[in-house]
Amino acid sequence: IRSVIQYCNAQMMDKLYTWQGVNNALLRDRLSMRGAELLAAESEKNRVAAEADELIESVDEDIQKLKKQVAMVYEKVEWYRNKMDEMGVSPSDIQTLDDVKKLPFTDKTVLRDTFPYGLFAVPLDEIIELHASSGTTGKPIVVGYTHRDMDVWSDCIARLAMMAGVKPGDRCQMAFGYGMFTGGFGLHYGLQKLGCMMIPAGSGNTERHLQMINDYGTTVLIATPSYALHMCEVGEKKGFDWASSSLRIGLFGGEPCPPKMKEEIERRMHITCTDNYGLTEVMGPGVSGECLCSRDMQHIAEDHFLWEVVNPETGEPVPEGEEGELVITPLDKEGIPVLRYRTHDLTYVVTEKCECGRSHARMKKVRKRSDEMLIIRGTNVFPSQVEDILSGIKGVTPFYRIEVDNETGLDRMKIKVEIEPSALSDSYEEMDRFRKMIATKLKETMLVASEVQLIEPGGIERSFGKTKHVIDHRK
Ligand code: DLL
């Protein structure tokens, strides 16, 4: 009996040990899983903490820059000093980035009223270059750059070029004009700083541009998107072989580049292109640029520009991600340091980190301006709406023109739509049906009738620079 009991005990102990073993193993496993989780959580915590530190550091740097900038502007620019005194704001009121809201807005009229040098903050012998923007009416707007401004500008351009994949040694052919326009020289200096070879062809003479691409082995083209599209057309007519040309990248900007237009240029030229944004009053190109991850957005150079998005009517901030007017304060401009410049460009901004790894906030590419809105018989119409509708219609080219008048006492909108050769027909009825179909589509979205006129292929004038889509005879 004793030995049976001993045998049973031994069996039970074995089982017990086995269970304990299994339990311990499970426990150990669980603990190690938990350990791994904890480790992962710890490293995530460290990553988030490092990102937060980086953010705090960059915000801190921006605050210091803003404080310094406002103090300098107050001291050196009479217009701002008077304006801030009038508003009861002093530089010491600026302690956080949010305090920027206390500062006065600046718009084109201020630059016009103080033309030419009224807003300059340094003696003219410290200015090494002038640029100007003609605008649509009245006096031009002139801006001046110091040595340091030119340095910062070149850095911003080199940055946007690298975002597009441009590298030192690339051969960059300039199709912007080298005049007072900021596009030509701005990109020229920045690309040289990056170590690229500049081919300063300048604007116009498309056939010569095509010849130069082949002769010099151009790898990067700098142009407005509409001119790039024109180059496609001319190239195709002349039998230029885009597919085997040396061209790899397009750096575009200066005017809206709708996604479909960009896709079309990329497809026809066999290149990758980015669309880059900027404006003369705050620097020129280089304010924001597109990376290759989020193709419809542009990273703002936040270390040099403080951005706000405001309701264009009230000037009040709108929540993140909501469309409004972009307002920019350059943080380290010396020559002409404007505060809270109202761009009139409508966009929204997101601050979440981009897949490309860059942490600078991204603005949605600008498609419309608040001052470009047409009011036709009480209905608001943006040219970008017309563009979007036309881009969805087969047989229509991206070239169009809107003409508005009030000759009869009633607003009239005529939309000239250029068609592709494939859409041409000998039958009047067929062409008229096509025209009416376009007019119906436009009316369905814009809620206002327009007269559509079909224009033969190539019939709408091409521009070497920015394309003017609207002629408003009422102004
Ligand atoms: O166009 C600066 C520039 C030159 C940017 C070349 C990029 C490349 P402005 O002549 O002063 O300066 O015109 C500025 O053009 O307020 C926008 O309305 C429009 N704009 C500029 N770039 C873009 C873009 C230069 N990428 C005005 N997308 C701005 C949409 C743009 N609009």
Side-chain angles (χ1 to χ4, degrees):
I1 287 170
R2 202 176 291 128
S3 68
V4 169
I5 290 171
Q6 268 173 359
Y7 172 77
C8 288
N9 273 347
Q11 287 279 305
M12 277 173 65
M13 286 314 278
D14 262 6
K15 283 226 163 85
L16 203 65
Y17 286 137
T18 314
W19 276 115
Q20 260 175 5
V22 171
N23 272 344
N24 282 346
L26 276 174
L27 204 64
R28 260 200 311 276
D29 201 35
R30 242 184 242 143
L31 276 176
S32 70
M33 270 164 59
R34 182 84 191 108
E37 267 170 28
L38 283 173
L39 274 177
E42 185 67 15
S43 77
E44 176 64 7
K45 203 174 87 195
N46 287 342
R47 193 186 61 76
V48 171
E51 262 180 28
D53 279 351
E54 203 181 297
L55 193 68
I56 291 167
E57 236 171 67
S58 74
V59 168
D60 207 40
E61 200 180 299
D62 283 359
I63 294 171
Q64 297 315 324
K65 280 187 175 184
L66 180 66
K67 283 163 111 173
K68 206 167 138 207
Q69 189 76 358
V70 173
M72 185 271 279
V73 169
Y74 186 83
E75 188 198 325
K76 307 241 167 103
V77 187
E78 193 188 350
W79 188 88
Y80 281 111
R81 190 165 51 251
N82 292 342
K83 191 77 188 165
M84 284 169 68
D85 286 349
E86 211 177 276
M87 292 166 74
V89 191
S90 89
S92 61
D93 292 325
I94 308 303
Q95 295 301 326
T96 66
L97 289 184
D98 214 36
D99 287 337
V100 73
K101 292 194 204 101
K102 298 177 182 166
L103 297 168
F105 282 121
T106 313
D107 65 15
K108 256 192 187 7
T109 55
V110 180
L111 281 122
R112 290 214 169 104
D113 294 347
T114 55
F115 179 84
Y117 302 129
L119 289 191
F120 281 32
V122 296
L124 287 183
D125 56 8
E126 287 178 35
I127 297 287
I128 61 162
E129 190 154 325
L130 285 187
H131 279 284
S133 133
S134 57
T136 41
T137 51
K139 282 187 215 163
I141 276 164
V142 70
V143 294
Y145 304 76
T146 63
H147 266 294
R148 185 155 181 283
D149 289 337
M150 295 304 289
D151 234 28
V152 171
W153 193 11
S154 299
D155 284 347
C156 291
I157 298 291
R159 190 185 288 177
L160 69 82
M162 287 192 76
M163 281 200 271
V166 179
K167 295 193 182 64
D170 262 314
R171 300 172 198 179
C172 306
Q173 189 163 316
M174 176 65 71
F176 284 146
Y178 279 97
M180 297 303 275
F181 176 52
T182 51
F185 281 108
L187 274 126
H188 184 105
Y189 297 134
L191 288 163
Q192 270 188 341
K193 191 163 188 178
L194 181 61
C196 299
M197 179 215 273
M198 285 311 296
I199 305 167
S203 73
N205 205 337
T206 311
E207 285 179 35
R208 189 175 61 123
H209 265 290
L210 296 171
Q211 185 65 46
M212 285 170 114
I213 294 176
N214 277 345
D215 288 348
Y216 304 133
T218 304
T219 53
V220 180
L221 174 72
I222 302 115
T224 54
S226 53
Y227 184 61
L229 202 55
H230 177 56
M231 281 179 80
C232 292
E233 292 178 326
V234 176
E236 281 154 16
K237 261 191 219 143
K238 301 273 161 202
F240 186 85
D241 185 1
W242 290 107
S244 58
S245 93
S246 49
L247 206 62
R248 285 190 302 121
I249 295 174
L251 292 181
F252 300 150
E255 64 179 3
C257 179
K260 282 216 168 151
M261 187 176 188
K262 191 161 75 166
E263 277 166 30
E264 188 170 337
I265 300 170
E266 289 190 326
R267 182 179 54 77
R268 288 166 75 171
M269 279 194 173
H270 295 262
I271 60 171
T272 302
C273 52
T274 61
D275 172 19
N276 305 293
Y277 167 87
L279 59 156
T280 312
E281 295 83 346
V282 303
M283 186 169 79
V287 174
S288 69
E290 186 182 353
C291 69
L292 297 178
C293 279
S294 63
R295 300 300 311 272
D296 213 18
M297 306 289 282
Q298 292 153 330
H299 286 280
I300 303 175
E302 282 190 289
D303 44 344
H304 299 298
F305 302 98
L306 184 65
W307 57 268
E308 298 168 77
V309 180
V310 303
N311 178 317
E313 270 144 42
T314 64
E316 288 302 314
V318 301
E320 176 169 339
E322 209 170 276
E323 187 180 89
E325 179 182 344
L326 183 70
V327 173
I328 293 185
T329 304
L331 290 172
D332 35 25
K333 197 86 185 294
E334 291 180 335
I336 177 162
V338 289
L339 300 177
R340 303 192 83 198
Y341 189 76
R342 293 195 66 155
T343 65
H344 289 294
D345 291 320
L346 299 177
T347 181
Y348 63 82
V349 175
V350 294
T351 54
E352 111 204 347
K353 199 167 170 175
C354 177
E355 267 175 55
C356 72
R358 290 178 183 85
S359 53
H360 281 171
R362 283 165 293 156
M363 57 184 260
K364 174 84 176 167
K365 292 205 298 182
V366 172
R367 294 288 313 283
K368 47 189 182 179
R369 291 177 55 86
S370 56
D371 55 1
E372 207 180 54
M373 187 178 78
L374 296 164
I375 303 181
I376 311 290
R377 299 194 292 278
T379 305
N380 301 344
V381 172
F382 281 102
S384 60
Q385 283 176 298
V386 174
E387 206 161 86
D388 286 343
I389 300 160
L390 295 181
S391 75
I393 302 175
K394 206 162 168 273
V396 163
T397 73
F399 299 97
Y400 69 95
R401 176 123 333 139
I402 303 174
E403 287 179 11
V404 186
D405 69 46
N406 191 305
E407 273 170 28
T408 56
L410 203 66
D411 294 335
R412 263 194 325 194
M413 178 163 63
K414 184 193 271 183
I415 304 183
K416 293 183 170 173
V417 178
E418 188 184 291
I419 56 171
E420 285 176 353
S422 60
L424 281 173
S425 160
D426 288 338
S427 148
Y428 171 80
E429 284 76 21
E430 206 175 303
M431 291 313 299
D432 201 45
R433 259 200 308 279
F434 188 47
R435 187 185 67 77
K436 284 186 180 141
M437 180 272 284
I438 297 173
T440 309
K441 287 210 169 181
L442 287 164
K443 187 170 177 203
E444 272 167 10
T445 308
M446 298 193 302
L447 307 176
V448 62
S450 56
E451 182 196 325
V452 169
Q453 186 183 347
L454 298 182
I455 305 289
E456 75 283 0
I460 293 209
E461 200 193 332
R462 307 297 192 249
S463 152
F464 294 139
K466 302 187 188 216
T467 297
K468 198 165 160 36
H469 292 295
V470 181
I471 301 172
D472 193 342
H473 296 290
R474 298 171 303 178
K475 288 183 179 168

